[in-house]
Amino acid sequence: MSEFIGRFHPVLVHLPIGILLVACFFQLLAGRQKYLHLQHAIGTTLFWGMISAVAACITGYLLAGSGDYDETLAGRHQWFGISVAVVSIVYYVLHRYTIVTRLKWILPVALIFLLTVTGHLGGSLTHGSDYLTGSLNNIAGADTAVISKPIPDVQEAVAYAAIVQPLLQNKCYGCHGASKQKGKLRMDQPDLLMKGGKSGVVIEAGNAAESELIKRILLEKADEHHMPPKEKAQLTEKEIALLHWWVASGASFDKKTKDIAQTEKIKPILLSLQNTVVEKERITDVPAAPVEKAAEAAIEKLRDSGIVVQPVALNSNYLMVSFVAMARATDKVVQLLAPLKKQLVWLKLNDTRITDTAINMIAQCNNITRLELGNTGLTDEGLGKLSTLQQLQSINLVGTKVTAAGLLKLKDLKMLRSIYFYRTGVKNTDWNLLKQAFPAATLDSGGYQVPLFDTDTMLLTKPKNQQ
């Protein structure tokens, strides 16, 4: 019963903060003649602030008894909270009997200080010790997303330290870390993680299906036992797959990734963590060198033909051209790009009727960084002509007739970082060859599938109209 009452603390704790702050500011403002009328409201706000502070202290004391919080931090928060209640009582009594005149500046300032410190300690208990400083790190540009930290060689990395621990830190430590241990479970240290919590062990090394950690993650989001709680940031499919793999393989804290058995389903997920290095490289798809403005007449001619032309950024003369509203565009229409050869950096020709002939014009636009040719008549012959585009970083070839032989004609493009070739003539057997030819690029062949685990089940039932 005491724990049930204690759970009202998060609801009640905000009342004294708001009400007492109002009373303090009324007291400070009432010293001026034009705010003298606020004097009449100070007594009422102090009274209800005092009552709510006492109620918050009682519920907070009962909640602290649950053992879910760090004792040292909870103790500091508790004593500062009691100080707020005591000072607010003294403040009210002195004001009630008009003895506050000599202390009319000291008490409000002291109470504001106590409320600030108590609130910060409470926030640290709930959100972690970096509750306040974490936001400052974000403002300063610090990278707080630990899971996105590049792994130079995922196979040589210690699996727990490089993959699992950052994941747990982002999604679990808020409730099961150093300052807060819901259900008496602490996950920020290996021995405490394996020890488990109030409900027992949460990891059965080598048996993910029976591990409480995995079971709760896989519960429906609406289930009260689902983890993380539905109001918190949820684990992605990739993160779930990584945790499942780590637990199922023995939950080792010191083995390197290469020393842990890997299924065909987990290998590409592990590789994707290593590919984040490519994503972190400082490459911009808009040239740094300035360029003169394109002729307005040429731009208007394109727009009159139904082609979208617009600057890639404010105060930039570089252009993006899209044929999205002109699906019937042919090779002849592409010739209208000739006056924009220097300014054109992004070109979208998806779902048009262009063929290899149009590539002769595109190949002259040496500043192109993004090129979309999906679902066009492009073949290997035309693709080879694009080898002159030394600034090309991304190319979309989805739904074309190109093959691996055509793609290899682009292997000397050092800036190329993304190649999309779903539903093309590229075969599965070409994958390793292309990875060797484009080691710095992300190869996207589409056809994504979510990993299927042994614990996944499907229940088949007969339709109601069948017997």
Side-chain angles (χ1 to χ4, degrees), residues 178-196:
S179 62
K180 183 179 180 182
Q181 302 91 40
K182 297 294 291 182
K184 300 187 183 300
L185 172 63
R186 183 168 174 177
M187 304 176 69
D188 61 324
Q189 295 180 20
D191 56 333
L192 296 177
L193 173 59
M194 298 306 292
K195 179 182 178 182

Side-chain angles (χ1 to χ4, degrees), residues 28 31 52 57 95 97 135 147 190 200 234 241 288 305 309 318 320 339 345 397 417 431 446 460:
L28 295 173
S52 59
C57 280
H95 183 274
Y97 294 100
S135 61
I147 194 65
Q234 299 296 302
S305 299
V309 183
Y318 286 105
M320 181 277 287
V345 289
L397 304 169
R417 291 295 180 269
W431 185 263
L460 298 177

Side-chain angles (χ1 to χ4, degrees), residues 356 359 363 378-389 402 405-410 413:
D356 291 342
I359 304 301
L378 181 70
T379 67
D380 287 348
E381 181 182 352
L383 187 59
K385 299 175 183 178
L386 296 176
S387 60
T388 60
L389 302 181
V402 300
L407 282 174
L408 291 175
K409 296 177 181 180
L410 305 181
L413 298 182

Side-chain angles (χ1 to χ4, degrees), residues 147-151 153-155 159 162-164 167 236-246 257 261-277 279 431 435 448-453 456:
I147 194 65
S148 64
K149 184 178 180 180
I151 304 175
D153 188 342
V154 70
Q155 294 297 331
I163 301 170
V164 178
L167 189 160
T236 65
E237 291 289 343
K238 183 168 75 171
E239 291 170 335
I240 294 172
L242 288 169
L243 274 180
H244 189 285
W245 162 74
W246 178 70
T257 306
Q262 299 168 27
T263 65
E264 291 302 315
K265 295 174 182 177
I266 202 65
K267 286 179 181 178
I269 297 178
L270 291 170
L271 185 61
S272 71
L273 300 179
Q274 183 172 304
N275 286 344
T276 54
V277 176
E279 296 170 7
W431 185 263
K435 284 299 295 182
Y448 312 110
Q449 291 184 344
V450 177
L452 183 66
F453 301 121
D456 295 337

Side-chain angles (χ1 to χ4, degrees), residues 241-458:
L242 288 169
L243 274 180
H244 189 285
W245 162 74
W246 178 70
V247 174
S249 61
S252 170
F253 292 92
D254 51 19
K255 283 186 179 180
K256 291 185 177 182
T257 306
K258 68 179 183 181
D259 298 326
I260 302 176
Q262 299 168 27
T263 65
E264 291 302 315
K265 295 174 182 177
I266 202 65
K267 286 179 181 178
I269 297 178
L270 291 170
L271 185 61
S272 71
L273 300 179
Q274 183 172 304
N275 286 344
T276 54
V277 176
V278 175
E279 296 170 7
K280 292 287 185 176
E281 292 181 3
R282 288 184 172 273
I283 297 177
T284 176
D285 54 6
V286 177
V291 68
E292 66 269 21
K293 191 173 182 179
E296 285 295 334
I299 294 176
E300 287 304 318
K301 192 170 184 179
L302 283 163
R303 288 173 175 167
D304 290 342
S305 299
I307 301 167
V308 177
V309 183
Q310 61 185 37
V312 296
L314 292 174
N315 303 319
S316 175
N317 290 330
Y318 286 105
L319 300 173
M320 181 277 287
V321 176
S322 174
F323 285 68
V324 65
M326 198 178 181
R328 301 177 66 85
T330 60
D331 298 335
K332 185 177 180 180
V333 179
V334 176
Q335 300 304 314
L336 296 175
L337 297 174
L340 278 59
K341 287 189 292 186
K342 294 182 180 180
Q343 294 82 12
L344 182 58
V345 289
W346 303 345
L347 178 59
K348 300 181 180 182
L349 284 162
N350 292 333
D351 304 304
T352 59
R353 297 184 178 184
I354 68 163
T355 65
D356 291 342
T357 303
I359 304 301
N360 294 322
M361 178 67 252
I362 298 172
Q364 299 176 40
C365 304
N366 295 323
N367 286 324
I368 287 182
T369 58
R370 297 185 194 175
L371 182 57
E372 299 187 15
L373 300 169
N375 300 309
T376 62
L378 181 70
T379 67
D380 287 348
E381 181 182 352
L383 187 59
K385 299 175 183 178
L386 296 176
S387 60
T388 60
L389 302 181
Q390 294 298 317
Q391 302 303 315
L392 187 63
Q393 297 178 27
S394 174
I395 186 167
N396 181 356
L397 304 169
V398 172
T400 63
K401 297 179 181 179
V402 300
T403 66
L407 282 174
L408 291 175
K409 296 177 181 180
L410 305 181
K411 65 180 181 179
D412 293 329
L413 298 182
K414 304 301 182 184
M415 302 291 288
L416 196 54
R417 291 295 180 269
S418 301
I419 307 174
Y420 303 89
F421 51 89
Y422 178 51
R423 291 192 293 108
T424 63
V426 179
K427 301 176 182 178
N428 292 335
T429 53
D430 299 324
W431 185 263
N432 289 333
L433 178 63
L434 293 176
K435 284 299 295 182
Q436 293 176 4
F438 302 96
T442 298
L443 304 179
D444 194 325
S445 60
Y448 312 110
Q449 291 184 344
V450 177
L452 183 66
F453 301 121
D454 295 336
T455 51
D456 295 337
T457 58
M458 180 178 293

Side-chain angles (χ1 to χ4, degrees), residues 458-462:
M458 180 178 293
L459 179 63
L460 298 177
T461 59
K462 290 183 179 181

